[in-house]
Amino acid sequence: MSRYNHKETEAKWQAIWAQRRSFETREDPSKPKYYVLEMFPYPSGRIHMGHVRNYTMGDVVARFKRARGFNVLHPMGWDAFGLPAENAAIEAKIHPAKWTYANIDQMRAQLKLMGLSLDWSREVATCDPAYYKHEQRMFLDFLKAGLAYRKESWVNWDPVDMTVLANEQVIDGRGWRSGAFVERRKLNQWFFKITHFVGDLLDELDRLPRWPEKVRLMQRNWIGRSTGARVTFAIEGRTDSIEVYTTRPDTLFGASFLALSADHPLAEAIGSADPSARDFIEECRRLGTSEAAIETAEKKGFLTRLKALHPLGKDWRLPVYIANFVLMEYGTGAIFGCPAHDQRDLDFARKYNLPVMPVVIPPGEDPKRFSIGTEAYAGDGILANSEFLDGLLVEDAKKKVVARLEALKHGRGEVNFRLRDWGVSRQRYWGCPIPVINCPTCGTVPVPVKDLPVTLPDDATFDKPGNPLEHHPTWKHVACPTCGMPALRETDTFDTFVESSWYFARFCSPKAVGPVDRAAVDYWLPVDQYIGGVEHAILHLLYSRFYMRAMRGSGYVSVDEPFAGLFTQGMVCHETYRSADGRWLAPSEIARNGQNVAVEAATGEPVTIGRSEKMSKSRKNTVDPTEIIGSYGADTARWFMLSDSPPERDMEWTAEGVEGAWRYVNRLWRAVHQAKQAMAASDAVRPATFDDTEQATRRAIHKTIDGVTHDLDHFRFNRAVARVHELSNALAAVTGDGEGQDWVRREGYDAIARLIGPMMPHLAEALWAALGHATLLVDEPWPVADPMLLIDDMVTIAVQVNGKLRATVDLPRDAEHADAERAALALPAVVKAMDGRAARRVIVVPNRIINVVV
């Protein structure tokens, strides 16, 4: 028996799969289709352990479904535009395209080492003009349909990356890539009208049962449907007014002030005439735009000279502030403050000595005595201090006050959404050019379809801050397609989330003349199983749902939802290490001394072992997948990734864990080769009978087949691994010779080779060949459990005395009534419960329960 050589074995089978084009696929209406897709990577140049986990899971699903008779599409590509390439161009003085394609080549080679069952003939890179010209074509369709538009608006400006960010890309007040505090600026920007589909995007979440509930909840909250009222506050001495949207019109009698966003037109008008107001507005704009930043900041306001008239009181005047906690992007950019029932409003009121009048009284409290201290009351209750609303429950009060506002023409009931349109303009070079031309005479002119793609200039320079396209001496200067006069190209490029919002559709027909081949997308879409990180729950997944609807409206696809099933895997974690002087150390820099204490390998100095955290370059707690594959093989890495923990949870990468997986690979390899000498031929006829021991082993084999099938169907990979381990142990216990035992060994090890095929495909192919099969395992169907062998010969039956459980008894299935009664009455616990009394009756429900009545 030769030792298992993972390098030779994995290279051999990868070459055979590639030569036979085992994973290339095409539409086949005669077979059920299954489209499995992992979120494609950014070509940073190195795969990491998160990639290994993600793509292993997807590969297990793809191989499993293929074996079960599905026509499987499992493609791969590259999310290749973005700022890291541009930053690399600045730092290394290399063109972003050269940097990107070199990284793609390197990462493709690394991924191929994993033995993934990918259809590489469908590979796309989003920075390829052959890809993004179709994106430009669809943009022109969206523009024509009113789903793309340009307007001047306040935007999130990243001062480090020097580009606009969508609201979803601002995390805790910082840019999602640079980490810099975001500023607010007013710019002309391109938008996708995602709000056109807002109701549908929300409602259809209920019809995505194969999505994690946490992701659906995150999208529901981001879309943010609310029912409330739009209320008009007249301004004393002026003809204009202030509109406020509120979800709590029942608290209007508790109002003590109005607050305007710093970006509200009225605030801007005040600022233009008052330097103090203008200074305050500028301070607000430096705060950032995220809700988190605003919630944690000190609540500040600038008192204007305006007085707002309360819509329900003739002589009731409210002060009007400009406030740093009100955003123009939400509602109307103005609020009324009810300090008693909103903590933010209460903090503001206490700071500026404003009235705090409770108008919703908690159950059991006396309205005359109830008051507000340091915490606002946001619960349910009875209305008080509210004239015609007194005594009503909150929901009844909302209805009544909206009716009164509508009768007075001071407001109306309204459904509102938190979601805002998607700003897609970015001020950078390495992105898809937006295909429009700005003409002084004709305005915004779409680039003619025949002139697509609009490609990036190869000779851009990065020696100045800002957008290289804006600085380019010739690229932006063109003739207007309409009038022929000098005009300027749009120098903004698309947000990279545009490319990733439709790539899954391009995979269906990557060589199509248009964006997609309609027959192909109608066959393959939606993606049956999508796999990726939960961090994309709002950004990528919501944008993709919008894009499908926009593409359907333009006739490109027939579906609205891109992903029928979604699985979000956990992160890969590792211990962290710090040196005595506080430096982070990589696992490769750690050694164990004679006392098994962790020390820095270079110095022998003790290190501090920190908690297990997500692998990251900043903590240096990363492990190089290519080193692991080189040392142990791809199958070992895959097996450990699948075995460690449920796939939706975080897993900890440990040296002990991967060593254990490697030991199992070798143990299984030795077991098969040792058993070959006492094994029936691959084409042997099954014996007519088996003894009890042999039948018990066969039952274990078929229960494992049934269990692993169920586990892989439900993403319970760690349980599938455990079942295979158990079956390996059971087969190792089969000793002796004889026709029955030889045949059971054959059946068992054939089953194991098939069952590990999706998880350890190289080892499985090698074992399948070693077991004497001439076919490729990858072409073999999935094993089917014999239903008769899933039935246990013995069953455990509950035994009651006068209806109370006293014991259990193991009996042969379908035991005779007399045998069941005799066994139950002989149980010590039953004898004790009967306490010398005779059994008046014994009720036997076959295979389920025995009840002794005394």
Side-chain angles (χ1 to χ4, degrees):
M1 179 187 65
S2 61
R3 179 177 177 274
Y4 181 65
N5 186 326
H6 69 83
K7 291 184 179 180
E8 180 181 290
T9 301
E10 292 182 352
K12 171 186 174 180
W13 293 109
Q14 288 169 16
I16 290 173
W17 295 331
Q19 180 184 8
R20 299 197 184 188
R21 299 182 176 181
S22 294
F23 309 121
E24 292 185 17
T25 190
R26 61 181 183 274
E27 297 77 56
D28 184 355
S30 68
K31 297 175 69 175
K33 69 92 179 178
Y34 199 89
Y35 186 176
V36 58
L37 182 66
E38 306 93 320
M39 294 179 184
F40 66 167
Y42 180 80
S44 60
R46 304 288 297 176
I47 64 170
H48 53 68
M49 281 301 180
H51 290 133
V52 174
R53 193 180 196 198
N54 190 24
Y55 299 135
T56 295
M57 290 180 188
D59 196 50
V60 170
V61 174
R63 289 176 177 272
F64 173 63
K65 291 295 183 179
R66 182 177 285 107
R68 298 200 74 189
F70 287 88
N71 186 28
V72 174
L73 174 59
H74 187 207
M76 177 58 72
W78 310 97
D79 191 10
F81 273 137
L83 276 169
E86 203 157 328
N87 292 338
I90 297 171
E91 294 169 11
K93 300 189 184 307
I94 183 173
H95 194 278
K98 186 175 181 180
W99 183 86
T100 300
Y101 282 110
N103 286 353
I104 287 175
D105 290 341
Q106 187 170 343
M107 289 182 69
R108 185 193 302 110
Q110 293 167 354
L111 287 177
K112 286 187 174 182
L113 291 176
M114 290 179 61
L116 303 172
S117 59
L118 293 166
D119 184 351
W120 284 103
S121 70
R122 295 172 180 262
E123 181 182 6
V124 300
T126 60
C127 63
D128 185 345
Y131 178 88
Y132 68 70
K133 73 176 181 181
H134 302 298
E135 186 173 303
Q136 293 173 340
R137 168 62 187 268
M138 287 190 290
F139 171 80
L140 299 181
D141 293 329
F142 298 170
L143 184 63
K144 185 176 180 180
L147 294 176
Y149 66 94
R150 191 178 189 180
K151 71 172 183 179
E152 187 177 56
S153 67
W154 289 100
V155 297
N156 308 305
W157 180 259
D158 187 316
V160 171
D161 286 338
M162 299 189 72
T163 187
V164 169
L165 302 178
N167 289 333
E168 296 88 342
Q169 294 167 317
V170 180
I171 311 299
D172 296 331
R174 297 174 180 267
W176 73 299
R177 281 195 182 276
S178 73
F181 281 107
V182 169
E183 301 170 357
R184 275 185 276 180
R185 288 191 181 184
K186 204 167 191 177
L187 294 175
N188 258 311
Q189 296 289 290
W190 284 98
F191 290 84
F192 281 149
K193 198 171 181 59
I194 193 171
T195 55
H196 179 74
F197 301 106
V198 64
D200 187 52
L201 288 168
L202 181 63
D203 294 342
E204 285 299 312
L205 288 171
D206 293 329
R207 286 179 276 278
L208 292 172
R210 292 179 51 229
W211 279 43
E213 178 53 33
K214 63 182 178 182
V215 174
R216 292 190 289 172
L217 179 61
M218 291 167 74
Q219 288 210 4
R220 284 190 194 99
N221 291 341
W222 189 261
I223 294 169
R225 185 184 190 278
S226 62
T227 302
R230 184 176 288 261
V231 185
T232 302
F233 290 80
I235 303 175
E236 185 176 43
R238 297 171 59 128
T239 58
D240 53 352
S241 59
I242 299 172
E243 281 197 335
V244 168
Y245 174 78
T246 178
T247 60
R248 294 297 304 272
D250 55 299
T251 64
L252 269 167
F253 284 101
S256 62
F257 66 94
L258 260 66
L260 306 174
S261 164
D263 302 329
H264 195 284
L266 190 54
E268 291 186 325
I270 294 169
S272 65
D274 185 337
S276 297
R278 184 165 59 251
D279 291 344
F280 180 77
I281 289 170
E282 289 304 315
E283 179 184 343
C284 292
R285 289 174 181 164
R286 287 192 295 272
L287 177 61
T289 62
S290 77
E291 291 176 72
I294 289 169
E295 286 298 323
T296 55
E298 180 187 359
K299 307 302 179 284
K300 293 182 179 181
F302 177 87
L303 180 61
T304 73
R305 298 177 182 179
L306 303 180
K307 296 291 183 182
L309 303 179
H310 196 287
L312 300 176
K314 294 180 181 178
D315 299 317
W316 191 350
R317 292 164 178 77
L318 301 172
V320 178
Y321 288 81
I322 302 170
N324 68 347
F325 59 87
V326 183
L327 286 175
M328 194 66 208
E329 290 80 12
Y330 301 108
T332 64
I335 65 154
F336 79 82
C338 179
H341 305 294
D342 183 283
Q343 190 63 43
R344 177 194 58 186
D345 296 350
L346 180 62
D347 295 342
F348 189 83
R350 295 302 189 203
K351 181 178 180 69
Y352 294 104
N353 298 314
L354 298 169
V356 179
M357 173 62 72
V359 292
V360 178
I361 310 302
E365 292 283 352
D366 183 351
K368 295 180 180 179
R369 297 179 180 174
F370 179 71
S371 62
I372 298 294
T374 58
E375 292 188 13
Y377 176 68
D380 209 348
I382 303 297
L383 270 289
N385 305 313
S386 299
E387 298 183 8
F388 64 92
L389 300 178
D390 286 354
L392 295 176
L393 295 171
V394 167
E395 291 305 314
D396 294 332
K398 287 180 180 179
K399 296 174 184 175
K400 191 166 185 177
V401 74
V402 168
R404 179 66 63 90
L405 289 168
E406 290 176 346
L408 294 172
K409 299 190 184 310
H410 290 163
R412 64 181 185 276
E414 185 172 285
V415 174
N416 207 349
F417 294 91
R418 179 177 179 271
L419 182 68
R420 292 295 175 264
D421 284 339
W422 174 15
V424 296
S425 291
R426 298 295 180 267
Q427 293 68 42
R428 59 167 176 248
Y429 166 80
W430 194 236
C432 172
I434 299 176
V436 296
I437 293 170
N438 301 304
C439 175
T441 304
C442 305
T444 299
V445 181
V447 172
V449 172
K450 66 179 179 62
D451 293 338
L452 299 180
V454 177
T455 57
L456 296 165
D458 292 330
D459 57 347
T461 58
F462 302 89
D463 52 350
K464 296 180 182 177
N467 184 357
L469 295 178
E470 186 67 34
H471 304 146
H472 196 279
T474 60
W475 181 83
K476 65 181 179 180
H477 298 283
V478 293
C480 171
T482 302
C483 69
M485 298 301 290
L488 296 175
R489 287 194 189 281
E490 175 62 69
T491 56
D492 286 353
T493 53
F494 281 128
D495 177 8
T496 56
F497 279 100
V498 176
E499 284 84 65
S500 60
S501 292
W502 73 283
Y503 78 106
F504 46 86
R506 184 65 182 172
F507 275 145
C508 298
S509 50
K511 307 292 193 301
V513 175
V516 295
D517 176 86
R518 182 60 187 268
V521 292
D522 283 351
Y523 176 81
W524 289 114
L525 290 180
V527 175
D528 296 280
Q529 187 62 65
Y530 199 37
I531 303 171
V534 72
E535 66 271 18
H536 298 294
I538 292 172
L539 291 166
H540 164 60
L541 291 171
L542 186 60
Y543 293 158
S544 296
R545 296 181 66 217
F546 156 75
Y547 227 86
M548 276 293 93
R549 286 158 171 80
M551 288 179 70
R552 178 170 182 167
S554 297
Y556 291 113
V557 298
S558 59
V559 298
D560 286 340
E561 292 296 340
F563 313 118
L566 174 68
F567 186 85
T568 54
Q569 84 280 358
M571 297 180 294
V572 182
C573 304
H574 197 289
E575 285 181 336
T576 52
Y577 309 102
R578 299 197 90 151
S579 65
D581 57 2
R583 291 176 290 110
W584 294 107
L585 298 173
S588 59
E589 298 176 285
I590 303 301
R592 299 279 175 174
N593 63 17
Q595 290 76 41
N596 200 33
V597 175
V599 297
E600 187 175 357
T603 64
E605 293 294 317
V607 301
T608 301
I609 301 177
R611 65 177 184 177
S612 179
E613 298 184 31
K614 176 187 176 182
M615 287 187 178
S616 68
K617 293 178 181 178
S618 61
R619 295 287 193 272
K620 294 186 70 175
N621 62 334
T622 58
V623 175
D624 186 349
T626 57
E627 291 183 7
I628 295 297
I629 292 172
S631 299
Y632 298 100
D635 283 347
T636 298
R638 291 167 63 118
W639 191 250
F640 178 53
M641 281 287 183
L642 296 168
S643 67
D644 181 73
S645 61
E648 67 275 11
R649 297 182 190 170
D650 295 348
M651 69 159 290
E652 183 172 4
W653 182 272
T654 64
E656 296 79 10
V658 74
E659 284 281 358
W662 172 238
R663 286 195 298 271
Y664 176 73
V665 166
N666 283 277
R667 187 164 67 247
L668 183 56
W669 176 259
R670 289 193 301 270
V672 170
H673 281 76
Q674 289 167 357
K676 282 169 57 179
Q677 307 307 316
M679 188 182 294
S682 60
D683 57 353
V685 177
R686 187 178 74 178
T689 60
F690 295 94
D691 63 27
D692 290 346
T693 300
E694 294 161 355
Q695 195 70 348
T697 304
R698 293 195 68 223
R699 190 172 291 110
I701 293 168
H702 286 263
K703 283 187 174 182
T704 302
I705 292 171
D706 183 66
V708 171
T709 302
H710 186 267
D711 290 338
L712 296 190
D713 244 343
H714 294 83
F715 274 75
R716 295 170 183 161
F717 305 129
N718 59 314
R719 289 177 56 176
V721 168
R723 291 185 202 272
V724 172
H725 274 281
E726 291 171 4
L727 180 57
S728 299
N729 294 335
L731 291 175
V734 178
T735 58
D737 298 319
E739 183 185 25
Q741 290 184 341
D742 289 355
W743 203 90
V744 168
R745 288 191 190 93
R746 158 66 59 185
E747 184 179 29
Y749 284 114
D750 272 5
I752 283 186
R754 289 171 182 255
L755 294 176
I756 68 170
M759 297 178 276
M760 293 194 287
H762 311 89
L763 176 63
E765 287 281 11
L767 294 180
W768 188 249
L771 287 165
H773 298 286
T775 59
L776 282 183
L777 179 62
V778 75
D779 297 327
E780 287 293 309
W782 188 251
V784 178
D786 184 341
M788 297 306 296
L789 291 173
L790 302 180
I791 302 172
D792 287 317
D793 285 345
M794 302 291 287
V795 291
T796 301
I797 300 174
V799 181
Q800 299 176 338
V801 177
N802 290 340
K804 188 171 183 178
L805 180 67
R806 294 297 182 180
T808 61
V809 62
D810 290 332
L811 293 173
R813 181 172 295 278
D814 300 324
E816 295 292 334
H817 185 289
D819 294 335
E821 179 178 329
R822 190 180 306 109
L825 293 175
L827 293 170
V830 173
V831 172
K832 181 178 179 182
M834 292 175 67
D835 194 23
R837 294 171 290 176
R840 292 192 292 116
R841 191 160 49 124
V842 178
I843 303 168
V844 177
V845 180
N847 304 318
R848 294 181 59 192
I849 195 168
I850 302 171
N851 186 24
V852 180
V853 181
V854 298

